[in-house]
Amino acid sequence: MLTSTTPEDLAEEGQSSTYRCWATAYPLHETSSIPLGSHEAPNPRLALRWLRERTRNVTDQLDMAYAQPGRYWLRDETEHERALACLTTGTAYQLTLHDENTRYVLVAYPPGATT
């Protein structure tokens, strides 16, 4: 017998059907991190859109030399397709940027993935 699983069925079973996204800053020599935002997206494309928006926010705050990797990533359509493929096949995607004092981690987790 074939059955289909709807988002409502997953919610009843305690499984989320959303893509969880978050961004966090980890200052060097500090014991606590700084949350930069989180989001739940209904599909991988919207999760990637959120990552792009947060990456743009982070790179806008960095000095030019440290912003370059993030700006390059924002224009890298091949890497965006790779990120979508990861999310679509159930693998989390992470982007890490840094400056001299802080590491910035931006992540999207597909439904069912553990953090």
Side-chain angles (χ1 to χ4, degrees):
M1 177 170 116
L2 293 175
T3 61
S4 64
T5 303
T6 65
E8 293 79 16
D9 293 336
L10 290 174
E12 286 178 15
E13 295 173 14
Q15 295 180 8
S16 172
S17 63
T18 60
Y19 291 76
R20 297 179 325 259
C21 310
W22 54 265
T24 303
Y26 296 91
L28 296 177
H29 313 296
E30 297 289 329
T31 58
S32 60
S33 60
I34 302 167
L36 301 176
S38 63
H39 179 70
E40 289 189 359
N43 61 56
R45 288 203 180 276
L46 291 178
L48 180 59
R49 180 185 296 173
W50 188 88
L51 285 178
R52 290 167 79 167
E53 290 170 2
R54 295 308 300 161
T55 300
R56 190 171 291 106
N57 294 142
V58 169
T59 57
D60 286 349
Q61 304 299 314
L62 298 175
D63 289 337
M64 183 62 79
Y66 294 109
Q68 286 306 318
R71 290 187 177 146
Y72 178 80
W73 183 86
L74 286 167
R75 296 185 309 267
D76 189 348
E77 291 300 321
T78 301
E79 184 61 16
H80 297 164
E81 290 301 319
R82 190 178 85 75
L84 282 174
C86 287
L87 293 170
T88 301
T89 60
T91 303
Y93 182 82
Q94 176 177 312
L95 173 66
T96 302
L97 304 169
H98 68 87
D99 63 16
E100 67 274 3
N101 297 312
T102 308
R103 182 172 44 102
Y104 304 91
V105 179
L106 300 96
V107 180
Y109 281 93
T114 58
T115 57

